[in-house]
């Protein structure tokens, strides 16, 4: 197998901000994944970044880390920043479509992790952002992991957020996000096995 080069772009959720164990969902997912020995994983997070920011920077950040002949992959983590920045759902859809279309032209395999239900100025719009991302992915046969709907009425998720002074998951919340990612196509997309 060619060397795996995996870039993960997104906001503070990708960075694991507010996680007492400093793993976030990404660290937990990788700890449960039997990655090839020659793998390189690059978390590239900017707190508060919207899809507009992602669309502007992902090529600049990821291209130096990808390699010709490698198994180049991109995970896009979406948060609540589009809602906070006042972007329309149509603009979110266009920004994400631009990213994944460029990636497809370059044979970079993409997975999108949608926004979870976080405290925000417009909860209904955040749900619409999730749906818009799902539609972009479905049209292009790209894996989309819906975190909004599984967690919208999940008591442990909301209890965890309620204990956070910054409105982000703590240890339990990031564990729930990791569980969803792991059980909604992660291993199949990478073509690897769970770590025993």
């Amino acid at each position: 197998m060619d060397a795996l080069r995996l870039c993960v772009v997104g906001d503070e959720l990708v960075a694991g901000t507010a996680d007492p164990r400093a793993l976030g969902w990404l660290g937990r997912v990788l700890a449960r994944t039997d990655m090839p020995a020659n793998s390189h994983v690059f978390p590239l997070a900017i707190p508060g970044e919207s899809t507009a920011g992602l669309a502007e920077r992902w090529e600049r950040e990821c291209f130096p880390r990808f390699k010709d002949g490698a198994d180049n992959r991109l995970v896009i983590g979406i948060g609540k920043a589009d809602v906070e920045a006042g972007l329309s759902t149509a603009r979110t859809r266009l920004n994400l479509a631009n990213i994944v279309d460029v990636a497809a032209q370059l044979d970079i395999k993409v997975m999108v992790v949608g926004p979870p239900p976080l405290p925000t100025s417009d909860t209904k719009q955040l749900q619409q952002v999730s749906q818009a991302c799902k539609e972009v992915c479905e049209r292009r046969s790209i894996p989309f992991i819906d975190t909004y709907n599984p967690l919208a009425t999940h008591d442990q998720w909301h209890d965890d957020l309620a204990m956070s002074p910054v409105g982000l998951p703590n240890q339990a919340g990031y564990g729930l996000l990791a569980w969803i990612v792991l059980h909604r196509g992660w291993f199949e997309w990478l073509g690897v096995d769970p770590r025993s």
Side-chain angles (χ1 to χ4, degrees):
M1 178 180 176
D2 291 331
L4 174 64
R5 298 281 183 120
L6 177 61
C7 288
V8 186
V9 296
D11 64 3
E12 57 272 16
L13 292 173
V14 168
T17 301
D19 179 9
R21 295 184 64 195
L23 292 170
W25 67 260
L26 180 60
R28 287 172 170 80
V29 164
L30 294 174
R32 297 289 312 274
T33 305
D34 190 13
M35 302 289 281
N38 57 350
S39 298
H40 299 277
V41 180
F42 307 102
L44 303 167
I46 293 183
E49 185 171 55
S50 68
T51 57
L54 279 172
E56 191 275 325
R57 79 162 168 112
W58 82 273
E59 295 176 57
R60 183 177 68 249
E61 294 260 10
C62 296
F63 285 9
R65 293 166 172 89
F66 290 143
K67 182 179 177 183
D68 288 343
D71 182 8
N72 297 312
R73 292 177 183 257
L74 176 68
V75 175
I76 304 167
I78 307 294
K80 64 179 183 177
D82 282 29
V83 175
E84 302 301 333
L87 297 183
S88 68
T89 306
R91 177 55 61 182
T92 297
R93 186 181 288 111
L94 179 62
N95 290 336
L96 182 59
N98 286 340
I99 296 170
V100 299
D101 287 346
V102 170
Q105 292 167 11
L106 298 170
D107 199 31
I108 298 166
K109 298 174 183 73
V110 179
M111 170 180 275
V112 177
V113 178
L118 294 167
T120 186
S121 57
D122 190 337
T123 304
K124 184 169 181 56
Q125 189 186 352
L126 185 60
Q127 187 175 17
Q128 292 169 350
V129 166
S130 178
Q131 181 62 30
C133 294
K134 179 181 178 182
E135 290 167 3
V136 168
C137 293
E138 284 179 344
R139 287 194 190 106
R140 292 158 176 81
S141 299
I142 292 169
F144 174 76
I145 298 180
D146 175 12
T147 65
Y148 190 95
N149 289 301
L151 296 174
T153 58
H154 197 291
D155 289 342
Q156 188 179 14
W157 171 260
H158 290 288
D159 290 347
D160 195 60
L161 284 178
M163 293 186 297
S164 170
V166 293
L168 291 171
N170 287 300
Q171 191 168 322
Y174 277 115
L176 289 168
L177 283 172
W179 191 93
I180 292 170
V181 172
L182 287 166
H183 291 84
R184 301 289 171 96
W186 171 259
F187 299 113
E188 295 83 354
W189 179 67
L190 281 178
V192 301
D193 296 321
R195 181 164 285 160
S196 55

